[in-house]
Amino acid sequence: MKLTILGCYSATPKINTNPTAQVLEIKNHTFLIDCGEGTQVELRRNKIKFSRVKHIFISHLHGDHCFGLAGLISTFNLLTREADLHIYAPKGLKEVITMQMKLSNSWTNYQLIFHELTSTSSELIYEDDKVEVHTIPLDHRIYTNGFLFKEKLGERKLDMNAILNADIDMAYYRKLKQGGDVPDNQGNMIDNSILTKDPKPSKSYAFCSDTAYSASIIPIIKEVDVLYHESTFIEKNEALAKPTKHSTAKQAAKIAKKANVGKLILGHYSTRYDGLNEFKAEAEVIFPNVELSRDGKKFEF
Ligand SMILES: [Zn+2]
């Protein structure tokens, strides 16, 4: 998996940074996660081909997470896109986008398929043979979901020494990779675990923005390889976090620790802060493996 941060600040504009947007490249997909203003330019800057984007996941309808979408949809049209575009977003976004297209008489030539989200419990919203995506219900001022991206476990690996020792016909290799028991040349059934090894562990990524501290997400994101958790404020401004239903860096770290994740990436910083070192320092007291997101930064895992 490769995660590219296109924008990682909240609310108002700031020079050299953008509101929330990320690209996750996973198993030949290019998933766009949130689409704040500036997303198109950042896609260009990071050399991500527009035509690769076929699925867009929007956490909620606050502007710093979706005001770039109408422009991107329009650009896809100008670029004569033909491929379907799937948008997974809270109910309401379809109405906003449709109204915009109607009043400007600029319907798309490609199919725009909205998957409207309303559930307040985690649900599977995308699945193919290699990847699945689940919602992570968050606690924000309006209906908001994070997203959990998981690779599916691959096929079992053949243990060639064991297979040759047990004298297994090549015709059974396919069945072995799929986990089945197979006969040897004398007709004795051999247990799959003797002839194969576990597949490479599957990777997972959880995106959680925006949210107040919410312990209910812990079981959903348990042991993910990488967690992006918003940290709009640092501890001294906790009084601002509560009414706006945002988190502090310390709260994000508490979630990372309790969920036993591999790495925590912080982001969605309030534009009131000039430096970000305090965010990292505050979180590291609780959880050791912390990184700061910055526009254009890439994470491979
Ligand atoms: Zn918000």
Side-chain angles (χ1 to χ4, degrees), residues 284-297:
E284 275 174 344
V285 173
I286 291 166
F287 183 80
N289 194 2
V290 180
E291 295 215 41
L292 295 169
S293 54
R294 287 182 196 276
D295 295 21
K297 194 162 169 180

Side-chain angles (χ1 to χ4, degrees), residues 139-141 210-213 230 240-247:
D139 179 15
H140 195 39
R141 302 196 301 283
D210 302 356
T211 187
Y213 179 88
E230 74 127 290
L240 296 173
K242 231 174 221 146
T244 55
K245 291 224 170 189
H246 283 300
S247 300

Side-chain angles (χ1 to χ4, degrees), residues 93-249:
L93 189 63
K94 180 182 178 182
E95 199 183 328
V96 173
I97 298 292
T98 308
M99 178 66 80
Q100 203 135 20
M101 291 195 296
K102 183 182 157 199
L103 296 180
S104 60
N105 193 24
S106 47
W107 300 105
T108 56
N109 292 317
Y110 58 92
Q111 275 256 44
L112 205 51
I113 301 154
F114 283 91
H115 303 262
E116 296 192 290
L117 307 176
T118 55
S119 175
T120 49
S121 43
S122 179
E123 57 178 342
L124 178 68
I125 54 170
Y126 175 81
E127 184 177 27
D128 61 26
D129 56 341
K130 295 207 167 78
V131 176
E132 51 189 65
V133 186
H134 301 253
T135 56
I136 307 168
L138 299 174
D139 179 15
H140 195 39
R141 302 196 301 283
I142 56 170
Y143 176 68
T144 304
N145 289 296
F147 301 102
L148 171 65
F149 301 86
K150 276 163 83 168
E151 291 176 357
K152 285 186 177 174
L153 216 53
E155 292 185 321
R156 296 195 61 78
K157 298 244 177 300
L158 299 179
D159 180 342
M160 286 318 295
N161 282 339
I163 286 171
L164 294 173
N165 278 339
D167 199 13
I168 306 293
D169 194 290
M170 259 175 81
Y172 289 114
Y173 287 5
R174 178 98 225 107
K175 194 174 175 192
L176 277 174
K177 285 185 187 172
Q178 291 165 345
D181 300 337
V182 296
D184 62 14
N185 278 342
Q186 286 76 49
N188 307 307
M189 284 307 280
I190 312 285
D191 200 88
N192 185 285
S193 63
I194 297 170
L195 304 170
T196 65
K197 293 176 181 165
D198 289 341
K200 236 176 44 186
S202 60
K203 294 278 170 69
S204 53
Y205 170 61
F207 168 86
C208 297
S209 183
D210 302 356
T211 187
Y213 179 88
S214 172
S216 62
I217 69 172
I218 293 168
I220 306 169
I221 62 169
K222 196 101 193 149
E223 293 178 354
V224 294
D225 294 276
V226 177
L227 166 67
Y228 172 91
H229 194 290
E230 74 127 290
S231 56
T232 309
F233 300 104
I234 50 176
E235 205 56 18
K236 70 175 180 199
N237 298 120
E238 199 196 349
L240 296 173
K242 231 174 221 146
T244 55
K245 291 224 170 189
H246 283 300
S247 300
T248 64

Side-chain angles (χ1 to χ4, degrees), residues 60 62 65 140 210:
H60 66 304
H62 282 155
H65 297 258
H140 195 39
D210 302 356

